[in-house]
Amino acid sequence: MSKRKQPGPTFADLVKEPTWSQSESSRTGQHAPRPGRFNGADQFFDPSGSRLKLVAESITEEEAQRLLEDGAALVSEACGCGGNYGGCTPVWATEKQLHELRSGPPPRFADRHGAPTWLDVWAGDQSSVVFAHGDVSWGNTLE
């Protein structure tokens, strides 16, 4: 005589369960928010701790300037590592620096140290961020 299999959870039961992203483990350990930095899971956060996602890679200097003029924030890392490896910590421009940059000329690739150099865009629910990597010169903020 065969045993009757017990029915598993229904779809309605499964929908009621929290997803992994709603669980505590999604916000601890390597997945913990790191305001202004990358965490161990390579997730990037703005200074307030909101998660950012890469939305555009290798934008032009003119596009970066236009985004700043439209209200984007600016973060940079000078070694060209991408900001999430080794001891490199992304540096966020202050409001005063952003004000100066928004009314100035666009950034330029300086090629001072031979570091990999590019500009990309990250965005969250409330903000967008231009990320300057490597040898980027921009006003008095990035020299």
Side-chain angles (χ1 to χ4, degrees):
M1 183 183 231
S2 67
K3 282 189 171 181
R4 226 177 182 181
K5 219 176 179 181
Q6 292 292 336
T10 66
F11 182 72
D13 293 333
L14 293 173
V15 170
K16 292 177 190 174
E17 293 290 318
T19 63
W20 179 84
S21 63
Q22 295 168 324
S23 69
E24 180 59 29
S25 62
S26 71
R27 294 178 297 282
T28 59
Q30 71 176 0
H31 295 282
R34 304 278 193 264
R37 301 176 53 189
F38 285 87
N39 66 10
D42 287 334
Q43 298 168 328
F44 188 39
F45 298 85
D46 69 14
S48 70
S50 296
R51 186 169 169 204
L52 301 169
K53 293 186 180 194
L54 181 64
V55 295
E57 296 183 65
S58 299
I59 65 168
T60 67
E61 296 93 318
E62 292 75 20
E63 289 171 311
Q65 181 66 34
R66 192 169 32 259
L67 286 165
L68 236 61
E69 290 170 3
D70 289 343
L74 173 65
V75 64
S76 63
E77 57 85 9
C79 73
C81 72
N84 56 341
Y85 300 104
C88 185
T89 301
V91 177
W92 291 81
T94 65
E95 285 302 318
K96 180 180 178 189
Q97 291 169 326
L98 287 171
H99 179 73
E100 292 171 6
L101 292 173
R102 286 179 177 135
S103 59
R108 58 186 174 78
F109 295 147
D111 196 27
R112 293 180 304 256
H113 307 291
T117 302
W118 74 99
L119 298 160
D120 54 28
V121 181
W122 295 72
D125 294 336
Q126 306 292 322
S127 62
S128 63
V129 177
V130 173
F131 202 149
H133 303 274
D135 290 333
V136 178
S137 180
W138 203 341
N140 293 325
T141 301
L142 302 178
E143 298 184 79

